[in-house]
Amino acid sequence: MDILEKLERGERIGYEEGIALYDLDLFTLGKYADRRRKGLYGRKSFFNINRHINPTNVCKEICKFCAFSAHRKNPNPYTMSHDEILGLVEESYRRGVKELHIVSAHNDRVGLDWYMGIFRKIKERFPDLHIKALTAAEVNFLAKEHRLEFDEVLDMMIESGVDSMPGGGAEIFDEGIRAQICKGKVSSEEWLQIHRLWHRRGRKSNATMLFGHIEGRAERIDHMLRLRQLQDETGGFNAFIPLIYQRENNYLKVEEFVTGQEYLKTIAIARILLDNIPHIKAYWATSTLNLALVAQEFGADDLDGTIERESIQSAAGAESRNGLPVEQLVGLIRESGFIPVERDSLYNEIKVWE
Ligand code: V47
């Protein structure tokens, strides 16, 4: 069957067809992605009030794209104490932050209790704050470092108060590309298995894709389809988040950077291919705000949030160091023709910002 006919009928798209979608013109793709997005959410666009905390940048891994971990180009190692972290949480809580997004480097100089203990302390003091923490890459690191099964680390996370898992560490699942950009880190199979086990506990997570570096379109489609397959099995992914590679202060040599058009096509294709993942996030920190706002018309229904104090991508040039005041985010969503809906971390609607 012709691919346009399949799109018209809303049928599932396979690998070869997925690659062929990139050859359609942007507006044809956008029409089908927007139709699906509007069918699900109308003109609503979701966001939350969140804060990032990156408690340490001391890292065992050497990912070529990373500008955050302490290395030759960024020789300033730090590790926060629990009291320091609690101070940041307290101040954010008072200002209305509802979700903490906590991601660390893989620090082998602090113990397991440094990683888990902070969640326990945060939950004791602020039980209604949602803790989204520990990527599958961190879970894999902690399991290997402390000779534990993934199951054991995941159970500890739940006991310590982690509510959901962020989507980081997925990068690109293709093993060949992975070996070139993040050799030695969590494998694709391990990443997927950790999320599978987390979902089996009735918990939700997200999935990212780092693109616009040395991968090609085929590897992006492969990445999305591996996620779709797991989602068919578990239903545990809330959101898919394509992250545009940021080029500063790292060791990955990239010849050509993604264009705005390629980003919008990737968002649209994600909406079309990932027919079982409810939310497609335009993550403004790596796409720029302008493009994230346009992405709302190409399949994206979620703009992440206020993203205060993000350090990983801003180290490589992203615009997220200081976050965005909620009034500004809401104003931009409204002025771009959408209805700003504040959500909680599990996508329950909290407030429609009139
Ligand atoms: O996995 C590292 C990425 C990720 C660079 O779950 C880079 O809601 C671009 O997990 N250029 C961590 N990206 C961030 C993350 C995340 C972000 C937003 C939302 C959610 C969510 C999760 O940051 C890493 C890696 O892929 N990253 N370096 C870089 N130079």
Side-chain angles (χ1 to χ4, degrees):
M1 192 190 297
D2 176 49
I3 194 163
L4 287 176
E5 212 176 316
K6 269 191 144 177
L7 289 174
E8 200 55 57
R9 293 186 189 192
E11 284 184 21
R12 223 172 214 203
I13 303 291
Y15 175 70
E16 301 291 343
E17 295 162 330
I19 298 171
L21 285 180
Y22 270 109
D23 294 327
L24 294 179
D25 75 89
L26 177 63
F27 294 108
T28 304
L29 262 182
K31 179 178 87 175
Y32 291 108
D34 191 48
R35 189 184 283 176
R36 291 194 186 193
R37 179 241 197 268
K38 296 259 170 62
L40 289 165
Y41 310 111
R43 298 197 77 80
K44 287 179 179 173
S45 267
F46 300 100
F47 69 94
N48 76 353
I49 302 183
N50 59 349
R51 177 194 173 123
H52 285 236
I53 301 182
N54 304 115
T56 179
N57 69 350
V58 175
C59 199
K60 252 185 91 165
E61 324 291 347
I62 310 160
C63 297
K64 286 203 182 141
F65 54 79
C66 184
F68 168 65
S69 71
H71 54 67
R72 245 186 318 126
K73 289 193 185 180
N74 173 25
N76 292 310
Y78 72 83
T79 301
M80 295 180 189
S81 69
H82 282 183
D83 282 345
E84 227 174 308
I85 299 169
L86 281 171
L88 299 177
V89 175
E90 169 132 39
E91 174 257 339
S92 309
Y93 184 75
R94 267 195 269 110
R95 282 184 300 99
V97 164
K98 298 192 176 77
E99 172 190 283
L100 297 174
H101 182 153
I102 305 178
V103 171
S104 283
H106 302 177
N107 188 334
D108 55 6
R109 300 180 207 160
V110 292
L112 187 59
D113 216 50
W114 178 84
Y115 274 89
M116 296 293 170
I118 190 59
F119 307 133
R120 222 169 296 126
K121 289 180 186 167
I122 293 171
K123 259 291 163 284
E124 265 165 32
R125 298 234 325 238
F126 311 98
D128 51 337
L129 259 181
H130 182 102
I131 303 180
K132 180 169 81 175
L134 292 181
T135 64
E138 288 170 273
V139 172
N140 177 64
F141 158 72
L142 291 173
K144 305 266 159 74
E145 192 70 14
H146 302 283
R147 291 172 204 227
L148 296 165
E149 299 293 331
F150 294 154
D151 275 317
E152 293 176 285
V153 178
L154 296 174
D155 285 339
M156 273 179 210
M157 285 162 64
I158 290 178
E159 279 160 30
S160 308
V162 174
D163 295 294
S164 67
M165 272 178 68
E171 322 312 356
I172 272 281
F173 290 143
D174 178 89
E175 282 73 11
I177 302 287
R178 225 176 162 76
Q180 294 177 63
I181 65 172
C182 57
K183 194 159 182 258
K185 197 160 88 165
V186 65
S187 72
S188 313
E189 274 311 306
E190 288 165 334
W191 192 97
L192 290 163
Q193 177 63 3
I194 289 165
H195 282 262
R196 178 182 286 112
L197 296 171
W198 182 251
H199 297 166
R200 282 193 193 149
R201 285 162 169 73
R203 298 295 177 124
K204 295 288 185 184
S205 67
N206 291 335
T208 56
M209 173 176 79
L210 182 66
F211 77 111
H213 43 87
I214 59 167
E215 92 298 343
R217 290 169 165 181
E219 283 95 23
R220 292 180 213 154
I221 300 298
D222 166 66
H223 187 94
M224 292 186 219
L225 292 185
R226 293 199 212 191
L227 290 170
R228 186 172 78 184
Q229 197 179 357
L230 179 55
Q231 181 74 343
D232 273 344
E233 187 188 317
T234 66
F237 288 118
N238 264 337
F240 176 65
I241 312 149
L243 301 170
I244 300 184
Y245 165 68
Q246 311 289 301
R247 64 190 81 162
E248 291 174 19
N249 306 318
N250 66 37
Y251 293 95
L252 194 58
K253 295 275 163 290
V254 171
E255 301 297 326
E256 262 183 61
F257 296 104
V258 281
T259 59
Q261 179 165 180
E262 191 74 1
Y263 176 68
L264 294 175
K265 280 191 171 185
T266 304
I267 288 280
I269 290 171
R271 171 59 73 195
I272 291 166
L273 278 189
L274 298 176
D275 51 11
N276 54 3
I277 298 188
H279 301 283
I280 304 296
K281 205 183 260 193
Y283 190 61
W284 59 263
T286 59
S287 68
T288 72
L289 258 172
N290 289 345
L291 213 44
L293 294 170
V294 178
Q296 296 174 107
E297 295 187 66
F298 288 82
D301 65 287
D302 186 39
L303 293 186
D304 194 84
T306 47
I307 320 183
E308 288 175 34
R309 299 284 159 197
E310 193 280 332
S311 306
I312 299 178
Q313 290 149 337
S314 52
E319 298 174 69
S320 41
R321 170 108 26 230
N322 295 320
L324 196 64
V326 64
E327 292 75 16
Q328 197 181 336
L329 182 60
V330 162
L332 288 168
I333 294 174
R334 204 184 290 124
E335 281 158 28
S336 60
F338 287 82
I339 304 163
V341 178
E342 184 186 340
R343 60 164 174 86
D344 70 11
S345 305
L346 301 174
Y347 289 86
N348 299 302
E349 292 187 16
I350 295 180
K351 174 179 166 185
V352 177
W353 285 64
E354 301 295 352

